[in-house]
């Protein structure tokens, strides 16, 4: 295994960067989609609610690999899309559904009194959302969002099946040529693990910084504090 | 200044307000009293349209306020509200809480907003806590900041929804002190409270609500010593 690790690292490093680029782009888009769908879900419009509901149900109810295939072969019927962008869009749409639920939950977890206080000061709904509710909601969304990002990173491996030479795709190719499947796949797994560990560290740091930055917290719990603040 | 006519409000099948009529004059301090569930908080919340009434009319300064035709956001800048649970913005410092609406709603230049905010914080005795986050404050301090925040919009009317009910007993006084000061300066105030001492001392009129209606109202002195209705007498006996 170690010889593979050593001999193949330039190729795998390149693949790692492709995985990272793919993941980053798809998750950024996914957050955009997620926020939009979250607003649809909490809006008063029945139509928007239904759109959000159908979207989330369909995406959560079907395998990612199916979504990637459908999007890749479906969209290339209409417009030609590189496997990178087909994969990125599929991942964005997929993660968007989960991220939407995370945002919805964190927005709805903010005490109703916050919106009432903002309104009582003459703030419009969008202004109150932007200045008062969302900053608090985003902070609460970070732990589950970090979790979803890790899942998104690992799920990006499925894009290998539409021809992307990212980490998993490169691993598949390698194993097919050197016939040492177990060792090669273990190496691939190691790359993913290191990425996830780095990512976890960054999320934890971010979480801590936001906690100490916004309020020098005592031992008081988050919820009991926000209830009465 | 405020005129409420025949107001009705239901939550689902529960009718909370059953034809309420109320007038509040300029510079008048009115306390709303009543058992919990009598509709006093709902009435107060209808006054700045945090709750929308089902029937009836609300006039402020001679103008009918109708959610369909009135810009409620603009209307609310003239009606300050103080909540039982303070509802300070936890991600903002005391000063930021106070200047938030002046800067972002009224477009007051931040420098001027800060100056005015410091003056208001001085007034409620919170000047030295300007850069602290709300969860470092006691309940009484939070409520005083909340009052300063509402005053920062220079409202013509202030509504108080049980402002001292969530406070430890020893912190009630500091909040009532600020409210007394405000009343003395001539602010028009509607206060839902259980503080009979405050009602007696500061209010111009006490209004007793029961079961979604106004049962009795009058000057506090008269109201407390010589209530006309049996229900009012029971209520006063139970809480005094």
């Amino acid at each position: 295994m170690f010889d593979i690790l050593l001999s193949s690292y330039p190729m795998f490093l390149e693949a790692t960067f492709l995985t990272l680029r793919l993941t980053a782009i798809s998750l950024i888009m996914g957050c955009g989609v997620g926020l939009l769908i979250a607003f649809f879900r909490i809006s008063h419009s029945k139509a928007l609610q239904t759109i959000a509901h159908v979207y989330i149900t369909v995406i959560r109810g079907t395998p990612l690999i199916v979504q990637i295939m459908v999007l890749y072969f479906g969209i290339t019927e209409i417009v030609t899309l590189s496997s990178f962008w087909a994969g990125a869009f599929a991942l964005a749409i997929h993660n968007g559904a989960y991220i939407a639920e995370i945002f919805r939950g964190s927005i709805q977890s903010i005490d109703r009194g916050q919106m009432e206080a903002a309104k009582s000061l003459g703030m419009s709904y969008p202004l109150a959302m932007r200045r008062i509710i969302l900053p608090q909601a985003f902070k609460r969304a970070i732990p589950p969002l970090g979790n979803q990002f890790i899942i998104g990173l690992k799920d990006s491996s499925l894009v290998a099946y539409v021809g992307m030479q990212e980490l998993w795709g490169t691993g598949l190719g390698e194993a097919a040529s050197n016939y040492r499947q177990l060792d090669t796949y273990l190496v691939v797994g190691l790359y993913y693990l290191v990425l996830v560990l780095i990512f976890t560290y960054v999320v934890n740091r971010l979480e801590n910084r936001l906690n100490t930055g916004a309020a020098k917290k005592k031992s008081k719990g988050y919820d009991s504090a926000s209830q009465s603040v | 200044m405020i005129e409420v006519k025949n107001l009705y409000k239901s939550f689902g099948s529960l009718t909370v307000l059953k034809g309420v009529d109320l007038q509040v004059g300029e510079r008048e301090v009115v306390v709303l009293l009543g058992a919990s569930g009598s509709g006093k908080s709902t009435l107060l919340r209808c006054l700045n349209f945090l709750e929308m009434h089902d029937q009836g009319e609300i006039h402020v300064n001679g103008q009918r306020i109708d959610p369909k035709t009135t810009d409620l956001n603009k209307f609310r800048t003239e009606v300050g509200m103080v909540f039982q649970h303070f509802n300070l913005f936890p991600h903002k410092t005391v000063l930021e809480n106070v200047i938030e609406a002046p800067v972002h709603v009224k477009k007051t230049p931040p420098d001027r907003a800060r100056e005015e905010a410091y003056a208001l914080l001085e007034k409620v005795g919170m000047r030295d806590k300007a850069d602290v986050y709300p969860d470092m404050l006691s309940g009484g301090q939070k409520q005083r900041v909340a009052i300063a925040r509402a005053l920062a919009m220079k409202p013509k009317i202030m509504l108080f929804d049980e402002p001292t009910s969530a406070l430890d007993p020893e912190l009630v006084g500091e909040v009532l002190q600020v409210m007394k000061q405000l009343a003395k300066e001539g602010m028009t105030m509607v206060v839902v409270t259980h503080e009979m001492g405050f009602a007696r001392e500061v209010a111009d009129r006490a209004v007793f609500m029961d079961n979604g209606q106004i049962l009795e109202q009058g000057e506090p002195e008269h109201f407390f010593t010589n209530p006309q209705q049996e229900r009012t007498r029971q209520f006063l006996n139970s809480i005094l």
Side-chain angles (χ1 to χ4, degrees):
Chain A
M1 180 187 156
F2 287 105
D3 56 316
I4 293 183
L5 193 60
L6 288 175
S7 65
S8 64
Y9 85 87
M11 190 172 51
F12 274 122
L13 271 189
E14 203 181 307
T16 302
F17 282 115
L18 190 57
T19 287
L20 281 177
R21 246 176 58 218
L22 182 71
T23 307
I25 288 173
S26 63
L27 287 178
I28 290 169
M29 289 192 296
C31 281
V33 173
L35 193 57
L36 187 71
I37 297 296
F39 278 127
F40 282 11
R41 276 212 59 173
I42 57 177
S43 80
H44 292 296
S45 152
K46 270 272 171 290
L48 293 182
Q49 278 178 26
T50 308
I51 291 173
H53 186 71
V54 169
Y55 172 75
I56 289 169
T57 306
V58 168
I59 296 298
R60 290 210 298 196
T62 56
L64 174 56
I65 187 69
V66 174
Q67 294 163 15
I68 291 174
M69 292 293 183
V70 165
L71 204 70
Y72 182 65
F73 291 106
I75 283 201
T76 44
E77 288 277 295
I78 312 162
V79 284
T80 331
L81 219 53
S82 69
S83 56
F84 179 86
W85 284 105
F89 283 134
L91 287 171
I93 289 170
H94 180 78
N95 283 294
Y98 290 91
I99 293 172
E101 287 295 86
I102 291 172
F103 281 149
R104 179 187 62 86
S106 64
I107 290 170
Q108 288 180 333
S109 78
I110 302 300
D111 186 58
R112 214 167 52 117
Q114 292 288 309
M115 180 54 91
E116 290 185 349
K119 279 189 171 173
S120 79
L121 290 165
M123 296 174 89
S124 63
Y125 181 86
L127 184 66
M129 257 300 159
R130 187 163 62 79
R131 299 280 314 167
I132 306 303
I133 307 297
L134 286 183
Q136 297 180 59
F138 279 138
K139 211 173 110 182
R140 278 187 203 185
I142 285 174
L145 213 51
N147 202 33
Q148 184 60 40
F149 283 8
I150 287 171
I151 295 172
L153 171 71
K154 294 189 292 181
D155 281 355
S156 71
S157 56
L158 289 175
V159 176
Y161 297 103
V162 290
M164 276 278 289
Q165 290 298 309
E166 41 66 76
L167 260 178
W168 180 240
T170 306
L172 284 178
E174 268 298 283
S177 64
N178 67 11
Y179 299 110
R180 291 171 59 188
Q181 282 82 357
L182 177 64
D183 288 352
T184 310
Y185 295 154
L186 279 175
V187 169
V188 173
L190 197 61
Y191 276 96
Y192 278 111
L193 182 62
V194 170
L195 286 182
V196 168
L197 287 178
I198 294 172
F199 196 78
T200 309
Y201 175 77
V202 172
V203 171
N204 285 342
R205 280 289 299 270
L206 188 67
E207 212 176 310
N208 283 336
R209 228 192 53 200
L210 281 178
N211 268 340
T212 47
K216 301 268 176 287
K217 284 256 184 318
K218 302 140 290 179
S219 57
K220 211 170 171 189
Y222 211 136
D223 277 317
S224 66
S226 60
Q227 276 304 310
S228 57
V229 161
Chain B
M1 189 152 199
I2 306 174
E3 199 176 1
V4 174
K5 289 181 192 163
N6 200 26
L7 212 64
Y8 280 82
K9 170 72 186 173
S10 308
F11 295 107
S13 60
L14 184 71
T15 307
V16 184
L17 297 179
K18 301 169 184 167
V20 172
D21 294 286
L22 178 73
Q23 283 87 36
V24 179
E26 197 165 348
R27 302 171 78 88
E28 195 180 15
V29 178
V30 172
V31 291
L32 297 180
L33 307 173
S36 69
S38 60
K40 55 197 194 306
S41 278
T42 303
L43 174 59
L44 192 76
R45 290 162 59 82
C46 281
L47 292 181
N48 72 347
F49 294 85
L50 284 182
E51 302 292 353
M52 304 292 170
H53 57 267
D54 300 327
Q55 273 179 60
E57 294 179 13
I58 296 175
H59 298 251
V60 175
N61 280 336
Q63 195 188 350
R64 179 167 177 194
I65 310 297
D66 182 342
K68 289 187 201 73
T69 54
T70 311
D71 179 354
L72 287 182
N73 295 325
K74 189 153 182 295
F75 167 73
R76 291 197 189 103
T77 62
E78 297 177 357
V79 184
M81 180 141 186
V82 173
F83 299 86
Q84 180 177 3
H85 293 290
F86 329 124
N87 298 346
L88 292 179
F89 307 134
H91 59 306
K92 294 183 181 299
T93 64
V94 164
L95 181 69
E96 288 166 349
N97 263 277
V98 179
I99 65 172
E100 177 66 25
V103 170
H104 292 279
V105 178
K106 272 195 172 168
K107 307 292 177 198
T108 311
D111 282 345
R112 219 183 77 211
R114 258 190 296 275
E115 246 169 68
E116 292 172 359
Y118 279 129
L120 283 171
L121 288 172
E122 184 77 55
K123 182 170 164 179
V124 299
M126 292 296 293
R127 172 73 173 77
D128 56 328
K129 299 281 189 191
D131 297 319
V132 162
Y133 283 91
D135 71 346
M136 295 295 287
L137 304 176
S138 72
Q141 292 174 323
K142 282 179 195 169
Q143 198 58 299
R144 287 185 281 149
V145 171
I147 293 173
R149 178 177 70 176
L151 290 176
M153 293 301 280
K154 306 191 177 82
K156 300 189 177 88
I157 300 164
M158 283 285 281
L159 309 176
F160 293 83
D161 190 2
E162 304 201 28
T164 58
S165 298
L167 299 179
D168 291 337
E170 77 269 22
L171 302 176
V172 170
E174 63 192 63
V175 173
L176 292 182
Q177 199 53 46
V178 170
M179 291 168 63
K180 267 180 215 169
Q181 180 64 32
L182 211 53
K184 215 184 288 171
E185 289 166 12
M187 176 64 78
T188 306
M189 292 162 62
V190 183
V191 185
V192 172
T193 187
H194 296 292
E195 289 297 325
M196 295 304 144
F198 175 85
R200 251 180 135 130
E201 196 183 329
V202 181
D204 300 307
R205 183 150 48 98
V207 173
F208 179 67
M209 286 188 69
D210 187 47
N211 199 17
Q213 285 175 319
I214 291 177
L215 205 61
E216 183 168 358
Q217 52 181 311
E219 270 181 49
E221 211 38 61
H222 185 73
F223 176 87
F224 283 110
T225 49
N226 194 12
Q228 302 302 303
Q229 301 282 337
E230 181 55 31
R231 184 72 192 85
T232 316
R233 223 167 293 153
Q234 278 172 9
F235 173 77
L236 290 174
N237 280 336
S238 70
I239 92 170
L240 285 178

